[in-house]
C-alpha cells in the first residue's frame, strides 16, 4: 500500500516537473493560443496577398507553405514577400497581446515599416490594415518613412522632416 502511494505521488511529481519545466510551460501556453495565433497570422497574410501560409506548432516552430502545399523556407521568399510575412507577424502579435491581456493600447509607431522591399500594392495593403486598426481599435498610428510613395495615399497628416548636418528639423508645410 505504501509503495503504491509513493508511486502515485511520484507520478504526480513527474507531471508537475514536466509542466513547470521550460518546455512544459511554453508548450501549455502556446497550445492555448495556437488556434488564434495561426488564424490571425493567416488572416493578415491573406489581406496582404502573401503567396504563402504560416503555421506554428506547440514548440513555436513554424512551417511556411505555398498555396500548392509545398513547404518552403522563409529565406526562399522574395524581399517583398518576407516583408508581408513580417508585417503579418507584427499585427498578429499585437492582436494576441490585446486578446491575452485584455489591455487595449492605442499607439502604434513604426520606423521604416515599408521602406525596403515593399511595392506599391504591398504598401497599400499595409496601410489598409493600419486604417482598419485605427477605426476598430482607435489606434493612433505614427509611421516614419523615407518612402516618397507614402504621400500618394490618403493619410490624415504628414509631417516632413529633413536631416542636415546630423540634425533633423521640421520642414515648413
Amino acid at each position: 500500500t505504501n509503495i503504491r502511494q509513493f508511486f502515485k505521488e511520484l507520478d504526480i511529481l513527474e507531471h508537475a516537473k514536466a509542466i513547470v519545466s521550460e518546455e512544459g510551460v511554453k508548450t501549455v501556453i502556446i497550445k492555448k493560443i495556437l488556434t488564434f495565433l495561426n488564424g490571425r497570422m493567416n488572416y493578415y497574410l491573406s489581406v496582404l496577398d502573401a503567396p504563402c501560409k504560416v503555421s506554428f506548432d506547440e514548440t513555436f516552430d513554424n512551417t511556411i507553405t505555398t498555396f500548392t502545399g509545398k513547404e518552403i523556407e522563409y529565406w526562399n521568399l522574395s524581399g517583398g514577400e518576407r516583408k508581408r510575412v513580417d508585417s503579418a507577424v507584427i499585427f498578429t502579435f499585437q492582436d494576441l497581446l490585446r486578446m491575452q491581456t485584455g489591455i487595449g493600447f492605442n499607439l502604434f509607431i513604426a520606423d521604416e515599416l515599408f521602406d525596403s522591399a515593399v511595392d506599391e500594392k504591398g504598401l497599400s495593403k499595409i496601410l489598409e490594415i493600419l486604417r482598419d486598426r485605427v477605426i476598430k481599435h482607435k489606434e493612433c498610428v505614427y509611421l516614419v518613412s523615407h518612402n516618397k510613395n507614402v504621400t500618394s495615399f490618403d493619410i490624415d497628416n504628414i509631417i516632413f522632416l529633413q536631416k542636415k548636418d546630423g540634425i533633423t528639423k521640421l520642414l515648413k508645410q
Side-chain angles (χ1 to χ4, degrees):
T1 304
N2 285 343
I3 292 174
R4 265 185 266 155
Q5 184 61 31
F6 286 130
F7 275 114
K8 271 186 174 178
E9 289 177 24
L10 180 62
D11 189 46
I12 291 169
L13 291 173
E14 288 294 329
H15 281 85
K17 178 182 171 185
I19 289 171
V20 298
S21 71
E22 185 177 319
E23 285 77 26
V25 170
K26 181 172 68 172
T27 301
V28 167
I29 291 170
I30 290 176
K31 277 185 179 178
K32 199 171 144 184
I33 62 171
L34 210 50
T35 301
F36 177 84
L37 182 73
N38 287 329
R40 290 311 285 174
M41 182 70 184
N42 288 297
Y43 163 76
Y44 286 118
L45 289 171
S46 172
V47 171
L48 293 167
D49 288 334
C52 61
K53 289 188 170 205
V54 175
S55 62
F56 293 98
D57 66 16
E58 64 276 350
T59 61
F60 215 58
D61 287 330
N62 66 67
T63 303
I64 301 174
T65 54
T66 64
F67 292 118
T68 61
K70 180 181 174 190
E71 281 191 29
I72 57 171
E73 294 294 319
Y74 174 80
W75 296 107
N76 290 59
L77 297 168
S78 72
E81 292 166 344
R82 285 195 309 266
K83 185 57 94 171
R84 290 172 195 225
V85 170
D86 295 346
S87 298
V89 168
I90 290 168
F91 298 133
T92 297
F93 278 95
Q94 285 178 332
D95 290 353
L96 180 63
L97 178 65
R98 182 179 281 111
M99 183 200 71
Q100 283 296 108
T101 64
I103 297 172
F105 52 90
N106 65 351
L107 181 63
F108 177 75
I109 300 172
D111 187 11
E112 301 182 15
L113 178 64
F114 33 68
D115 283 6
S116 62
V118 176
D119 59 11
E120 194 166 324
K121 183 178 180 183
L123 175 60
S124 175
K125 296 291 187 178
I126 291 171
L127 289 172
E128 181 182 314
I129 290 171
L130 291 172
R131 270 191 210 95
D132 182 57
R133 296 170 73 83
V134 165
I135 293 165
K136 186 176 181 181
H137 301 296
K138 309 256 187 279
E139 286 183 12
C140 182
V141 177
Y142 290 91
L143 302 171
V144 177
S145 178
H146 302 282
N147 186 334
K148 292 183 180 12
N149 291 333
V150 172
T151 59
S152 66
F153 290 91
D154 181 28
I155 297 175
D156 290 341
N157 297 298
I158 298 177
I159 300 169
F160 293 96
L161 304 172
Q162 181 177 34
K163 192 171 193 173
K164 186 175 180 182
D165 299 326
I167 298 173
T168 302
K169 293 186 179 184
L170 179 65
L171 291 176
K172 295 192 179 177
Q173 312 254 337

